[in-house]
Amino acid sequence: MDKNNLDIINRIKSKDVNVKENTGFTLDFYTSWALYNLGEEEIRNYIPKKNRPLSTSALGIPDYTDEELSEKINTDVMIFALNAASRDVDKSGSWLNFHDTRSASHDQRLLFEFLDTKFWGAYMSDLFKDVPETNSKEIKINNLIKDMKSNDDNEAKRNLKLLQFEIDTINPRIIILYHAKARDAFNKMIKEELIKIPDNCKTVYRPHYSMGEGYAKRAKALIKESKEIYGE
């Protein structure tokens, strides 16, 4: 058991870290890990099947105890999307974000991005939590940045505090940003010195997984970055 990883899990699940006041939902109800009920070779078998949907059970995260989970997670890697879709994150349990089995979800496409990489077990989160909106045009990045810089307490500043908490807790070597707006928002927060990432931490941009790339193309998307960090 990796005690450091267990400490990370406990920090994320801490009742002192609420995403929104008076809801009782801690950070683990909005985040997850790149761990699934389907093995890598089983995922690979779907590539020639013309983007046939994976079974819903495959998308689930295995029912690990915290101690078991601590041995599976990869704290070198953080993955951020922009925000949750309008249907919102399933909050019936911990670690369900990015494991959405509902028919409208595109989460299954993420699994192919990790093939032939060492990014399995990565921490997964949204830059803006508890902001359910499918139409990304409705997410006004400049307005959010302005709110973050204001002297008033507001939702954007609370999100900013959570984001820095996540980065400090995971202490990643690479951050993968899904969605052009996620990339732009993250870069602006760094430029404005609103957040700080570890020295030598690499940031990588990928189009949002709702975009129409096929399984075969996705399966090659992050191999180069994985080799840069972990070698051959």
Side-chain angles (χ1 to χ4, degrees):
M1 178 176 63
D2 189 324
K3 292 184 178 179
N4 290 331
N5 281 358
L6 185 58
D7 180 63
I8 287 169
I9 291 167
N10 288 334
R11 290 188 68 191
I12 293 168
K13 295 178 73 173
S14 171
K15 293 182 179 179
D16 294 330
V17 187
N18 283 302
V19 172
K20 197 169 186 177
E21 292 180 4
N22 303 317
T23 64
F25 288 120
T26 47
L27 197 51
D28 51 305
F29 284 89
Y30 293 83
T31 62
S32 193
W33 308 92
L35 298 166
Y36 301 89
N37 286 323
L38 203 64
E40 191 162 1
E41 288 309 311
E42 294 173 294
I43 296 169
R44 198 184 309 279
N45 289 337
Y46 276 85
I47 292 177
K49 296 181 180 179
K50 304 297 182 183
N51 295 343
R52 194 184 81 187
L54 278 65
S55 66
T56 55
S57 61
L59 287 171
I61 187 168
D63 188 21
Y64 295 127
T65 65
D66 287 351
E67 287 78 10
E68 291 169 334
L69 182 62
S70 73
E71 297 173 348
K72 303 289 185 179
I73 62 176
N74 179 1
T75 56
D76 286 343
V77 189
M78 297 186 81
I79 293 169
F80 286 109
L82 184 65
N83 65 295
S86 297
R87 62 186 175 277
D88 209 352
V89 177
D90 179 359
K91 300 187 186 71
S92 61
S94 298
W95 316 127
L96 295 180
N97 198 6
F98 302 94
H99 292 76
D100 191 348
T101 60
R102 289 170 284 189
S103 60
S105 172
H106 297 291
D107 286 359
Q108 66 174 12
R109 297 176 181 176
L110 270 173
L111 280 70
F112 296 89
E113 305 253 339
F114 306 133
L115 288 175
D116 298 316
T117 76
K118 295 187 179 181
F119 295 160
W120 296 101
Y123 179 78
M124 310 169 84
S125 185
D126 290 307
L127 292 183
F128 302 106
K129 295 148 185 78
D130 208 45
V131 185
E133 174 56 62
T134 299
N135 184 359
S136 62
K137 292 180 180 179
E138 296 299 320
I139 307 296
K140 308 299 183 184
I141 300 302
N142 288 336
N143 290 345
L144 289 166
I145 297 294
K146 182 178 178 180
D147 286 345
M148 289 175 181
K149 296 168 68 175
S150 78
N151 293 324
D152 301 325
D153 184 32
N154 57 61
E155 198 68 31
K157 291 184 75 170
R158 287 191 286 274
N159 269 282
L160 179 66
K161 184 177 180 180
L162 284 168
L163 177 60
Q164 189 65 65
F165 171 83
E166 290 175 295
I167 294 170
D168 292 344
T169 298
I170 302 297
N171 192 31
R173 296 170 64 186
I174 182 170
I175 295 173
I176 305 170
L177 299 159
Y178 280 91
H179 200 298
K181 276 200 167 183
R183 174 199 59 198
D184 294 346
F186 197 82
N187 288 342
K188 285 181 180 180
M189 285 186 272
I190 291 176
K191 183 178 179 180
E192 298 287 346
E193 299 184 344
L194 295 169
I195 58 170
K196 180 174 174 57
I197 64 175
D199 294 339
N200 302 316
C201 178
K202 181 181 179 68
T203 58
V204 175
Y205 161 68
R206 284 284 297 139
H208 193 267
Y209 40 91
S210 64
M211 303 300 287
E213 289 183 350
Y215 291 166
K217 187 174 181 179
R218 291 181 187 281
K220 300 176 182 179
L222 293 171
I223 294 174
K224 175 177 173 287
E225 286 76 11
S226 178
K227 288 181 177 179
E228 285 177 353
I229 291 178
Y230 294 103
E232 298 292 331

